[in-house]
Amino acid sequence: IPAGRGISSQTMALLHRMGRRLSSEMLHALMAWEPDVVFADEAHRIKNRDAGRTRAVRTLIEDRSRGAVLLTGTPLRNHGGEGASLIEAILPGARDRLAGALAQGHRRSDRNAVQDAAVAEIFKTIMVRRLKADVLDLPDKIRQWVEIAPQGEALCHYDEVMEQILQTVGREIAGGATSGGIAKAIMGLLSSARKWLGLAKVANPATADLIDDVVEVKGACLVFAHHRGVIAELEKQLRRRGRSVVTVHGETPDRERAGAEQMFQKGKAEIFLGSINAAGEALTLHRADTCVFVELDWVPAAMHQAEDRGHRAGQTAKGYHIISLLAHMPDRQNLDEYVAKVLIEKLANINTILDEKAGIAGRRIEGTDASVRNRVIAALMSEAQRTDVAKNTQVAATRKRALPRSRKQ
């Protein structure tokens, strides 16, 4: 690109990396090296067989004389079909055999059930898995779903988009569209509705109040949301309250991301505010023992990976608290309730395939105003933790009383 066009060196470096990926330069270099064994980390990222990343990895491991090990903490992020993609990478041709099994039954639910059963059986022979509980002594997760009443202008925008969704669905059904066609027709509208709902939830002071009180009691808090606008608005509110905040979202450079992690871990920031996906991997944030989700994600594994930024080696709390904020709208179509239901169903399916008992639903705390945060804080602390806080408070008070005497002396 000619000089003098006002393009930063950072942008140029990004374009260069993109060019290398598009030209498959790295893949060609690895193939020429002729490795004996390929270890592919974060293997759940090769679930889309048409993606360039998937094709590159498959090219590396398709030679049967070459060993291959796929590494991932989340073999199934969303559904059983992702397991079929991993199996196909290790056992080429397995997808075709699975397809034969999928042919049994006419209903989609029947085919999905057969696929899940086949994936579960094959996983037993090719997957070696150890859970965190097997290798780490971590505190139990304590889950709560807290109702927050959305407010403000954003709620009006949400109502408008939801009305458009209902009208679009009606037209698609009248036109004989399939469920897949309806999904495509409303996908953009659903994304817009989720954004406005997130903004309407943070418009309620109860959201920032809750986070503020967690910091007051615990000293630190992890906060996750999905949309950049929601993160920006919440950051603004928390800073106005005098709280120190670091943020990580999809546009945060790697260096700033690492800096935010260090600032939070060293106690230079009280709140780590991040996007569920961008800040949900490769960060250690165990200084906090409380995690708040302002928004939900469609993917159970994305939620689990985000919350596990604090639930990892080094976490010494007696309990790790996960609070998810759900919109309280008894008189409206509630998208949060739909997403929560989908999350529970998806996780139940994944648990069946992997023979696990992972959870995502929490004890629901009902409330429609800011006073709900008091009940959350009360429920958040176990008896042992209350005792610890009381002891620390007593010690601090004793030191404070002793200070004037020592000065006189």
Side-chain angles (χ1 to χ4, degrees):
I1 299 177
R5 294 293 181 88
I7 300 176
S8 68
S9 59
Q10 184 179 6
T11 300
M12 288 298 297
L14 176 61
L15 290 171
H16 179 65
R17 288 199 300 271
M18 291 172 62
R20 290 186 63 197
R21 291 176 182 174
L22 291 172
S23 66
S24 301
E25 178 184 327
M26 186 177 295
L27 174 61
H28 293 317
L30 288 172
M31 293 295 290
W33 184 41
E34 296 184 353
D36 296 312
V37 182
V38 175
F39 290 84
D41 198 11
E42 304 294 355
H44 55 268
R45 294 178 180 272
I46 62 171
K47 62 184 180 180
N48 182 356
R49 66 188 303 179
D50 297 323
R53 176 193 287 120
T54 303
R55 292 198 299 269
V57 173
R58 291 283 297 275
T59 299
L60 276 171
I61 65 179
E62 65 184 3
D63 185 344
R64 307 316 298 162
S65 66
R66 180 178 295 140
V69 179
L70 306 185
L71 307 172
T72 174
T74 52
L76 301 181
R77 287 173 54 82
N78 215 12
H79 53 75
E82 296 170 344
S85 297
L86 292 176
I87 291 168
E88 177 70 10
I90 292 290
L91 302 171
R95 182 183 291 274
D96 294 335
R97 294 193 291 276
L98 281 176
L102 297 180
Q104 301 177 26
H106 299 288
R107 292 185 301 179
R108 181 176 181 178
S109 58
D110 293 336
R111 296 195 299 273
N112 287 344
V114 172
Q115 172 184 259
D116 292 346
V119 168
E121 285 301 312
I122 297 175
F123 267 176
K124 291 177 183 178
T125 66
I126 67 170
M127 182 173 69
V128 177
R129 192 162 200 221
R130 300 187 74 184
L131 304 179
K132 284 201 305 182
D134 299 329
V135 294
L136 296 175
D137 184 17
L138 293 174
D140 291 337
K141 290 183 175 181
I142 304 168
R143 298 182 183 276
Q144 295 168 322
W145 283 5
V146 177
E147 294 185 352
I148 294 289
Q151 296 180 3
E153 185 179 348
L155 183 58
C156 298
H157 290 301
Y158 168 79
D159 288 338
E160 292 171 358
V161 176
M162 288 302 293
E163 181 61 30
Q164 292 180 49
I165 289 175
L166 293 175
Q167 292 176 1
T168 302
V169 170
R171 286 197 304 269
E172 293 293 320
I173 291 175
T178 63
S179 58
I182 294 174
K184 289 181 181 179
I186 66 172
M187 192 60 67
L189 290 172
L190 276 176
S191 178
S192 179
R194 288 179 65 206
K195 178 193 71 175
W196 289 119
L197 184 56
L199 289 170
K201 283 194 289 185
V202 298
N204 187 336
T207 298
D209 284 344
L210 172 59
I211 297 168
D212 194 42
D213 283 350
V214 169
V215 175
E216 192 69 28
V217 174
K218 299 296 194 71
C221 185
L222 303 181
V223 183
F224 291 100
H226 180 75
H227 294 93
R228 180 72 183 92
V230 175
I231 293 173
E233 176 59 29
L234 191 55
E235 178 185 10
K236 190 189 308 178
Q237 293 181 20
L238 293 169
R239 289 190 185 280
R240 279 202 298 260
R241 292 165 182 260
R243 294 301 179 186
S244 52
V245 186
V246 291
T247 61
V248 172
H249 48 79
E251 299 174 8
T252 305
D254 289 343
R255 183 176 297 178
E256 292 182 19
R257 173 188 169 98
E261 177 184 35
Q262 292 175 11
M263 285 187 64
F264 182 77
Q265 286 292 87
K266 290 179 180 179
K268 296 180 180 179
E270 298 166 305
I271 299 167
F272 181 95
L273 175 57
S275 103
I276 293 173
N277 290 290
E281 295 181 356
L283 290 173
T284 297
L285 305 168
H286 56 59
R287 175 170 162 254
D289 65 9
T290 302
C291 169
V292 177
F293 285 98
V294 177
E295 297 180 279
L296 303 178
D297 194 278
W298 292 106
V299 180
M303 301 279 291
H304 281 161
Q305 285 193 308
E307 70 190 34
D308 283 350
R309 296 312 92 209
H311 192 254
R312 55 198 298 114
Q315 179 57 257
T316 58
K318 294 179 174 64
Y320 186 76
H321 301 267
I322 302 156
I323 302 171
S324 298
L325 305 186
L326 299 181
H328 180 78
M329 301 187 295
D331 57 340
R332 286 179 168 89
Q333 294 282 344
N334 193 335
L335 192 53
D336 261 5
E337 294 289 354
Y338 297 152
V339 177
K341 183 174 182 290
V342 168
L343 281 171
I344 293 172
E345 291 174 351
K346 285 183 175 181
L347 190 59
N349 174 244
I350 291 171
N351 282 341
T352 299
I353 297 173
L354 298 179
D355 191 23
E356 292 182 2
K357 296 180 181 179
I360 204 162
R363 182 167 68 87
R364 187 175 290 245
I365 298 179
E366 299 179 353
T368 58
D369 54 32
S371 67
V372 69
R373 71 182 191 273
N374 297 323
R375 296 198 297 277
V376 172
I377 295 299
L380 183 145
M381 300 178 68
S382 66
E383 189 63 40
Q385 287 171 313
R386 275 196 216 99
T387 302
D388 288 347
V389 171
K391 287 180 180 177
N392 292 336
T393 303
Q394 186 175 7
V395 170
T398 301
R399 289 175 178 168
K400 190 173 182 180
R401 288 195 300 270
L403 187 57
R405 288 196 296 271
S406 63
R407 283 177 175 170
K408 288 180 180 178
Q409 292 171 353

